[in-house]
Amino acid sequence: MSSQERTWKTIESGPHTYEEALHPVVRKNYGKWKYHEIPKPGVLKHVAESGDAIWTVRAGTPRQDTVDKVRLLCDIADKYSDGFLRFTVRNNVEFLTPNGENVEPMIAELESLGFPVGGTGMCVSAVSHTQGWLHCDIPATDASGVVKSMMDTVYNEFKDMQMPNKVRLSTSCCSINCGGQADIAVVVKHTRPPRINHDHLVKTCELPKAVARCPVAAIRPTVVDGKKSLMVDEAKCICCGACFGACPAMEINHPEHSKFAVWVGGKNSNARSKPSTMSLVAHNLPNNPPRWPEVTEVIGRILTAYKAGGRPWERIGEWINRIGWKRFFEETGLEFDDNMIDSYRHARTTFNQSAHIRF
Amino acid sequence: MDGANDSAVKGSCQCGGGCASAGNGKFLNETPMLDQLESGPWPSFVSGFKELAERTKKPMLRGVLDQLEYSYQTKMGYWKGGLVTVDGYGAGIITRYSMIKDKYPEAAEFHTMRIQPAPGLHYNTAMLRELCDTWEKYGSGIITLHGQTGDIMLQGIEQDKVQECFDELNQNGWDLGGAGAGMRTGVSCIGQGRCENACYDNLKLHLDALKHFSPQVHRPEWNYKLKFKFSGCPNDCTNAIMRSDLAVIGTWRDAIDIDHDEVKAWIAERGVDALVNNVINHCPTKAIMLKDGDIDISTRDCVRCMHCINAMSKALSPGKERGIALLMGGKNTLKVGVNMGSLIVPFMKMESDEDREAFLELIEEIIDWWDDAGLDHERIGETIERVGLKQFLDGVGIEYDINQISRPRDNPYFKAKY
Ligand code: HEM
Ligand code: SF4
Ligand code: SF4
Ligand code: SF4
Ligand code: SF4
């Protein structure tokens, strides 16, 4: 298809407008909601000051959708929620209807089409999800496949509300961690410094940019075969992969040596404790497609221990704060090792600056 | 799509492995590893892709599945970037060329178009179907709903179809999101659309802010990326504090609104033990007292964390004097380590158009400062870490406020003006 003469002049409209996409009952009661209930897993009931009520049915999706799947969701919305639907930031789809009688048939139809209904309240919700081999240019693993495998194993926890509090999961296919901070996060950890392809490097990379990208100043200019290139001081390198983003000739991904690590205790909400960042509790897990069983096994252990020991409303990090890291490792059967003692900037803030001791 | 079948014939499998002899009358080659992702109860993206490929016979879909299978076998990724844009824009298309196009020529190009959805990710089916039709016409038909930065990601298009595809989308009211060193697409929670906790109209502020910065979304010109996220209350359902440079979080200034009859009804239903263990003991500042079978909240002690309101949704609500808190500098690991946003402005009213204009003026000031003080590839949180919060506040003209710190300095070395 050759590009023809353009007849359309671009309108820089920014985001799509939302008013036409709001259900009329939402528009009418906008900003005037009074309270909500969760009548059953996957269903919310919001009541407005006017007395109007709206039911929400929430379902999981693969996130990597297709036009066919989206049209299926539109069929559901046309049939049961007056042609309106929305998505949550965790990739769930929601149908809002003022008609409570639509709830059960909608659930039945969604489930029959393979969209699990759940993701509300004290549950394990869908995974905050990165790109991986399907689309990113710097991943050491896939994202959609890891997520599919994880969600298969926590399927019942998605559909039920038996956890002490919400559990947020995330995945990331390199240490940049687009997946973000979560109660349990699966993040790739490279375990070897980059391998440099000097032929490519001189042709494709801006040397100062690659040097500047390194957080520990491990990259130095050098000369190889009479041409300017770069070298890595392997003793300094922390295997973060940042240089690979700037210079793909510094290959950090490795089929065996890029491993998985599991982090816990991240929390964004301000509820109760302040937001918190995550801590490393398992690493050196193999990158084992297509099902990554070693990773889902670790997640299973953490969830089982938290479900048994967490008190109502305690997020995973808050539960650990109460019982302490020593008991966290005992109860999950995971092993604390010396790599879990921070050695990067501000590390001392993670040391025990007290005589609080647990035996 | 016209011509799809022709190129399907010429583009049969080149991988040299067992897949060349698919020979089962199916359009797709064998993908034994990916097939294992079709079992299990969670919906499978692999099944979705395969169904779409068998229906549309788009060669690109076969190529992408083949390349993904090859990644699963070799445990390596095979995409590299490049530069593709539409007329007048410098961002919004994420370019993907295959490094192994000799093996899988059908997936040689697989670019993504980032499209900005409505704030709060609301759709009606007419607009969503229209989007699907255009995307099926020009692209692969694969859609990510949604990326972490909030875009609809239309994944899989060739360079020579990008402009026409965009023109058609643009005529239907859609626009590209950001990429590179500029303003990025924003994210909002559902806010006042459905949530009783929302303390400001975050959908409106999101729309106004992203429209205001549209030129900087489309033509990146700053040190690095800048992201907004808009959460209606401190529950922060959009993860704004961690995942945006500008976290706009709703809050209130006066007392929590208590419906005492509903408090009593709550206690009657669940008991005093539940009130003490699940509400009062969880208050981070011990602001709640049990008093004659009812609760009393000391507003001066409350830090507006939301816990008691979450636990007693019918009985408690945010106060009446509502607005936003602005936190700044959240970002993930690269390269100084994880940083959460820190509080810059504890409270701004956000009710009128004037309030929203004042907000945008403040953001303009902040960006001007960052333009001057920041280094290339430095997020604004990193700039502040390097030069200091005080320098930032002075530079932008924001007043000092004790809420900006968790405690005063513990380091005695400073030079004071006397
Ligand atoms: C070539 C390099 C990179 C690629 C291809 C890439 C790709 C992506 C993509 C596709 C997304 C989701 C986008 C969307 O939803 O619109 C994303 C989000 C994100 N990226 Fe990257 N990224 C790259 C580099 C980086 C770097 C260098 C950083 C860190 C400084 C980073 C941090 C993040 C974070 C934190 C998010 C999620 C942010 C949020 O939720 O707002 N990425 N990335
Ligand atoms: S986590 Fe890394 S590899 Fe994965 S999408 Fe983000 S930048 Fe790409
Ligand atoms: S991997 Fe990270 S630490 Fe090692 S050289 Fe590259 S940027 Fe530096
Ligand atoms: S952030 Fe607050 S206002 Fe927004 S959806 Fe979550 S609870 Fe509601
Ligand atoms: S909002 Fe939080 S700090 Fe305030 S009274 Fe309730 S639980 Fe306590």
mmCIF file of all heavy atoms in Angstrom, chain A residues 190 192-194 210-219 231-234 236-244 250 252, chain B residues 334, ligand 3:
data_model
loop_
_atom_site.group_PDB
_atom_site.id
_atom_site.type_symbol
_atom_site.label_atom_id
_atom_site.label_comp_id
_atom_site.label_asym_id
_atom_site.label_seq_id
_atom_site.Cartn_x
_atom_site.Cartn_y
_atom_site.Cartn_z
ATOM 1 N N HIS A 190 19.511 -10.289 36.144
ATOM 2 C CA HIS A 190 20.653 -10.818 35.401
ATOM 3 C C HIS A 190 21.737 -11.183 36.391
ATOM 4 O O HIS A 190 21.911 -10.510 37.408
ATOM 5 C CB HIS A 190 21.180 -9.780 34.413
ATOM 6 C CG HIS A 190 20.107 -9.200 33.540
ATOM 7 N ND1 HIS A 190 19.466 -9.928 32.576
ATOM 8 C CD2 HIS A 190 19.554 -7.974 33.511
ATOM 9 C CE1 HIS A 190 18.565 -9.169 31.980
ATOM 10 N NE2 HIS A 190 18.592 -7.981 32.533
ATOM 11 N N ARG A 192 25.033 -12.099 35.253
ATOM 12 C CA ARG A 192 26.363 -11.962 34.655
ATOM 13 C C ARG A 192 26.472 -10.578 34.023
ATOM 14 O O ARG A 192 25.484 -10.063 33.514
ATOM 15 C CB ARG A 192 26.576 -12.999 33.545
ATOM 16 C CG ARG A 192 26.508 -14.453 33.998
ATOM 17 C CD ARG A 192 27.745 -14.869 34.790
ATOM 18 N NE ARG A 192 27.742 -16.301 35.063
ATOM 19 C CZ ARG A 192 27.011 -16.916 35.995
ATOM 20 N NH1 ARG A 192 26.186 -16.215 36.762
ATOM 21 N NH2 ARG A 192 27.099 -18.222 36.173
ATOM 22 N N PRO A 193 27.658 -10.000 34.056
ATOM 23 C CA PRO A 193 27.853 -8.707 33.385
ATOM 24 C C PRO A 193 27.589 -8.831 31.879
ATOM 25 O O PRO A 193 27.589 -9.941 31.342
ATOM 26 C CB PRO A 193 29.328 -8.389 33.634
ATOM 27 C CG PRO A 193 29.735 -9.248 34.769
ATOM 28 C CD PRO A 193 28.898 -10.481 34.691
ATOM 29 N N PRO A 194 27.374 -7.706 31.220
ATOM 30 C CA PRO A 194 27.096 -7.768 29.784
ATOM 31 C C PRO A 194 28.272 -8.319 28.984
ATOM 32 O O PRO A 194 29.427 -8.141 29.360
ATOM 33 C CB PRO A 194 26.828 -6.302 29.408
ATOM 34 C CG PRO A 194 27.315 -5.489 30.548
ATOM 35 C CD PRO A 194 27.330 -6.349 31.752
ATOM 36 N N ALA A 210 26.132 5.429 26.758
ATOM 37 C CA ALA A 210 26.212 4.138 27.440
ATOM 38 C C ALA A 210 27.009 4.275 28.746
ATOM 39 O O ALA A 210 26.631 3.727 29.771
ATOM 40 C CB ALA A 210 26.849 3.104 26.529
ATOM 41 N N VAL A 211 28.101 5.033 28.693
ATOM 42 C CA VAL A 211 28.910 5.237 29.902
ATOM 43 C C VAL A 211 28.072 5.911 30.984
ATOM 44 O O VAL A 211 28.074 5.511 32.146
ATOM 45 C CB VAL A 211 30.164 6.089 29.584
ATOM 46 C CG1 VAL A 211 30.885 6.504 30.869
ATOM 47 C CG2 VAL A 211 31.099 5.320 28.662
ATOM 48 N N ALA A 212 27.298 6.924 30.575
ATOM 49 C CA ALA A 212 26.510 7.693 31.541
ATOM 50 C C ALA A 212 25.390 6.852 32.145
ATOM 51 O O ALA A 212 24.911 7.138 33.237
ATOM 52 C CB ALA A 212 25.926 8.935 30.873
ATOM 53 N N ARG A 213 24.950 5.833 31.441
ATOM 54 C CA ARG A 213 23.822 5.053 31.930
ATOM 55 C C ARG A 213 24.192 4.168 33.120
ATOM 56 O O ARG A 213 23.343 3.789 33.907
ATOM 57 C CB ARG A 213 23.289 4.189 30.772
ATOM 58 C CG ARG A 213 21.929 3.595 30.984
ATOM 59 C CD ARG A 213 20.826 4.626 31.034
ATOM 60 N NE ARG A 213 20.530 5.257 29.767
ATOM 61 C CZ ARG A 213 19.733 4.749 28.820
ATOM 62 N NH1 ARG A 213 19.176 3.583 28.996
ATOM 63 N NH2 ARG A 213 19.490 5.417 27.712
ATOM 64 N N CYS A 214 25.449 3.853 33.279
ATOM 65 C CA CYS A 214 25.820 2.882 34.320
ATOM 66 C C CYS A 214 25.726 3.502 35.720
ATOM 67 O O CYS A 214 26.354 4.512 36.004
ATOM 68 C CB CYS A 214 27.241 2.371 34.096
ATOM 69 S SG CYS A 214 27.692 1.136 35.332
ATOM 70 N N PRO A 215 24.948 2.903 36.617
ATOM 71 C CA PRO A 215 24.792 3.499 37.952
ATOM 72 C C PRO A 215 26.025 3.378 38.834
ATOM 73 O O PRO A 215 26.121 4.071 39.842
ATOM 74 C CB PRO A 215 23.617 2.721 38.547
ATOM 75 C CG PRO A 215 23.514 1.455 37.779
ATOM 76 C CD PRO A 215 24.105 1.716 36.425
ATOM 77 N N VAL A 216 26.975 2.486 38.499
ATOM 78 C CA VAL A 216 28.135 2.303 39.368
ATOM 79 C C VAL A 216 29.455 2.609 38.657
ATOM 80 O O VAL A 216 30.519 2.200 39.101
ATOM 81 C CB VAL A 216 28.179 0.865 39.947
ATOM 82 C CG1 VAL A 216 27.047 0.670 40.949
ATOM 83 C CG2 VAL A 216 28.093 -0.183 38.849
ATOM 84 N N ALA A 217 29.353 3.324 37.550
ATOM 85 C CA ALA A 217 30.545 3.725 36.792
ATOM 86 C C ALA A 217 31.455 2.540 36.469
ATOM 87 O O ALA A 217 32.673 2.597 36.646
ATOM 88 C CB ALA A 217 31.309 4.817 37.542
ATOM 89 N N ALA A 218 30.857 1.460 36.006
ATOM 90 C CA ALA A 218 31.653 0.274 35.666
ATOM 91 C C ALA A 218 32.075 0.267 34.202
ATOM 92 O O ALA A 218 32.867 -0.585 33.799
ATOM 93 C CB ALA A 218 30.850 -0.992 35.975
ATOM 94 N N ILE A 219 31.528 1.185 33.407
ATOM 95 C CA ILE A 219 31.845 1.168 31.977
ATOM 96 C C ILE A 219 32.941 2.193 31.692
ATOM 97 O O ILE A 219 32.854 3.335 32.136
ATOM 98 C CB ILE A 219 30.589 1.501 31.143
ATOM 99 C CG1 ILE A 219 29.429 0.589 31.547
ATOM 100 C CG2 ILE A 219 30.892 1.378 29.647
ATOM 101 C CD1 ILE A 219 28.132 0.891 30.830
ATOM 102 N N MET A 231 34.571 -0.993 27.715
ATOM 103 C CA MET A 231 34.812 -2.213 28.487
ATOM 104 C C MET A 231 34.042 -2.125 29.801
ATOM 105 O O MET A 231 33.653 -1.040 30.228
ATOM 106 C CB MET A 231 36.291 -2.387 28.768
ATOM 107 C CG MET A 231 36.902 -1.271 29.594
ATOM 108 S SD MET A 231 38.536 -1.659 30.209
ATOM 109 C CE MET A 231 38.174 -2.866 31.463
ATOM 110 N N VAL A 232 33.806 -3.269 30.408
ATOM 111 C CA VAL A 232 33.096 -3.288 31.688
ATOM 112 C C VAL A 232 34.025 -3.827 32.758
ATOM 113 O O VAL A 232 34.644 -4.878 32.589
ATOM 114 C CB VAL A 232 31.846 -4.176 31.590
ATOM 115 C CG1 VAL A 232 31.231 -4.401 32.966
ATOM 116 C CG2 VAL A 232 30.815 -3.537 30.660
ATOM 117 N N ASP A 233 34.119 -3.063 33.844
ATOM 118 C CA ASP A 233 34.861 -3.539 35.003
ATOM 119 C C ASP A 233 33.944 -4.527 35.734
ATOM 120 O O ASP A 233 33.012 -4.139 36.438
ATOM 121 C CB ASP A 233 35.198 -2.334 35.894
ATOM 122 C CG ASP A 233 35.957 -2.755 37.152
ATOM 123 O OD1 ASP A 233 35.923 -3.959 37.500
ATOM 124 O OD2 ASP A 233 36.563 -1.873 37.777
ATOM 125 N N GLU A 234 34.228 -5.810 35.542
ATOM 126 C CA GLU A 234 33.283 -6.822 36.006
ATOM 127 C C GLU A 234 33.176 -6.879 37.527
ATOM 128 O O GLU A 234 32.164 -7.323 38.071
ATOM 129 C CB GLU A 234 33.629 -8.186 35.403
ATOM 130 C CG GLU A 234 33.595 -8.111 33.879
ATOM 131 C CD GLU A 234 33.321 -9.436 33.205
ATOM 132 O OE1 GLU A 234 33.385 -10.478 33.881
ATOM 133 O OE2 GLU A 234 33.042 -9.417 31.994
ATOM 134 N N LYS A 236 33.048 -4.299 39.442
ATOM 135 C CA LYS A 236 32.126 -3.233 39.850
ATOM 136 C C LYS A 236 30.696 -3.506 39.410
ATOM 137 O O LYS A 236 29.740 -3.109 40.079
ATOM 138 C CB LYS A 236 32.558 -1.919 39.188
ATOM 139 C CG LYS A 236 33.502 -1.077 39.975
ATOM 140 C CD LYS A 236 33.561 0.281 39.281
ATOM 141 C CE LYS A 236 34.566 1.215 39.882
ATOM 142 N NZ LYS A 236 34.719 2.404 39.029
ATOM 143 N N CYS A 237 30.527 -4.124 38.252
ATOM 144 C CA CYS A 237 29.214 -4.252 37.606
ATOM 145 C C CYS A 237 28.214 -4.948 38.533
ATOM 146 O O CYS A 237 28.518 -5.958 39.152
ATOM 147 C CB CYS A 237 29.365 -5.034 36.307
ATOM 148 S SG CYS A 237 27.806 -5.454 35.517
ATOM 149 N N ILE A 238 27.010 -4.391 38.616
ATOM 150 C CA ILE A 238 25.964 -5.000 39.436
ATOM 151 C C ILE A 238 24.910 -5.707 38.574
ATOM 152 O O ILE A 238 23.815 -6.019 39.042
ATOM 153 C CB ILE A 238 25.300 -3.960 40.364
ATOM 154 C CG1 ILE A 238 24.885 -2.720 39.552
ATOM 155 C CG2 ILE A 238 26.217 -3.583 41.513
ATOM 156 C CD1 ILE A 238 24.079 -1.707 40.320
ATOM 157 N N CYS A 239 25.204 -5.898 37.302
ATOM 158 C CA CYS A 239 24.353 -6.691 36.415
ATOM 159 C C CYS A 239 22.932 -6.141 36.335
ATOM 160 O O CYS A 239 21.958 -6.904 36.381
ATOM 161 C CB CYS A 239 24.306 -8.162 36.850
ATOM 162 S SG CYS A 239 25.925 -8.863 37.125
ATOM 163 N N CYS A 240 22.821 -4.813 36.216
ATOM 164 C CA CYS A 240 21.488 -4.214 36.206
ATOM 165 C C CYS A 240 20.889 -4.202 34.810
ATOM 166 O O CYS A 240 19.674 -4.138 34.640
ATOM 167 C CB CYS A 240 21.544 -2.798 36.760
ATOM 168 S SG CYS A 240 22.389 -1.637 35.681
ATOM 169 N N GLY A 241 21.725 -4.193 33.796
ATOM 170 C CA GLY A 241 21.210 -4.188 32.428
ATOM 171 C C GLY A 241 20.883 -2.812 31.892
ATOM 172 O O GLY A 241 20.384 -2.671 30.771
ATOM 173 N N ALA A 242 21.162 -1.771 32.666
ATOM 174 C CA ALA A 242 20.822 -0.423 32.200
ATOM 175 C C ALA A 242 21.574 -0.069 30.916
ATOM 176 O O ALA A 242 21.036 0.596 30.032
ATOM 177 C CB ALA A 242 21.137 0.600 33.288
ATOM 178 N N CYS A 243 22.809 -0.540 30.798
ATOM 179 C CA CYS A 243 23.599 -0.203 29.611
ATOM 180 C C CYS A 243 22.997 -0.835 28.357
ATOM 181 O O CYS A 243 23.059 -0.261 27.274
ATOM 182 C CB CYS A 243 25.048 -0.633 29.784
ATOM 183 S SG CYS A 243 25.238 -2.339 30.337
ATOM 184 N N PHE A 244 22.384 -2.006 28.523
ATOM 185 C CA PHE A 244 21.791 -2.684 27.361
ATOM 186 C C PHE A 244 20.676 -1.839 26.752
ATOM 187 O O PHE A 244 20.497 -1.804 25.526
ATOM 188 C CB PHE A 244 21.276 -4.067 27.782
ATOM 189 C CG PHE A 244 20.645 -4.844 26.673
ATOM 190 C CD1 PHE A 244 21.350 -5.171 25.526
ATOM 191 C CD2 PHE A 244 19.317 -5.259 26.770
ATOM 192 C CE1 PHE A 244 20.759 -5.900 24.507
ATOM 193 C CE2 PHE A 244 18.717 -5.989 25.751
ATOM 194 C CZ PHE A 244 19.440 -6.310 24.609
ATOM 195 N N MET A 250 25.728 -4.360 24.193
ATOM 196 C CA MET A 250 26.175 -4.830 25.510
ATOM 197 C C MET A 250 25.136 -5.838 25.992
ATOM 198 O O MET A 250 24.323 -5.552 26.867
ATOM 199 C CB MET A 250 26.331 -3.648 26.471
ATOM 200 C CG MET A 250 27.327 -2.628 25.935
ATOM 201 S SD MET A 250 27.620 -1.256 27.044
ATOM 202 C CE MET A 250 28.611 -2.026 28.315
ATOM 203 N N ILE A 252 23.078 -8.298 27.766
ATOM 204 C CA ILE A 252 22.998 -8.778 29.156
ATOM 205 C C ILE A 252 22.089 -9.993 29.274
ATOM 206 O O ILE A 252 22.252 -10.825 30.155
ATOM 207 C CB ILE A 252 22.545 -7.640 30.106
ATOM 208 C CG1 ILE A 252 22.643 -8.075 31.576
ATOM 209 C CG2 ILE A 252 21.110 -7.219 29.829
ATOM 210 C CD1 ILE A 252 23.713 -7.440 32.344
ATOM 211 N N LEU B 334 15.694 2.156 37.593
ATOM 212 C CA LEU B 334 16.777 2.801 36.845
ATOM 213 C C LEU B 334 16.910 4.276 37.204
ATOM 214 O O LEU B 334 15.927 4.966 37.118
ATOM 215 C CB LEU B 334 16.466 2.659 35.345
ATOM 216 C CG LEU B 334 17.560 3.061 34.397
ATOM 217 C CD1 LEU B 334 18.516 1.873 34.242
ATOM 218 C CD2 LEU B 334 16.997 3.421 33.034
HETATM 219 S S1 SF4 C 3 24.935 -3.996 33.644
HETATM 220 FE FE1 SF4 C 3 24.549 -2.146 34.855
HETATM 221 S S2 SF4 C 3 26.257 -2.080 36.290
HETATM 222 FE FE2 SF4 C 3 26.851 -3.511 34.669
HETATM 223 S S3 SF4 C 3 27.960 -2.267 33.209
HETATM 224 FE FE3 SF4 C 3 25.833 -2.298 32.523
HETATM 225 S S4 SF4 C 3 24.937 -0.449 33.435
HETATM 226 FE FE4 SF4 C 3 26.855 -0.853 34.525
#
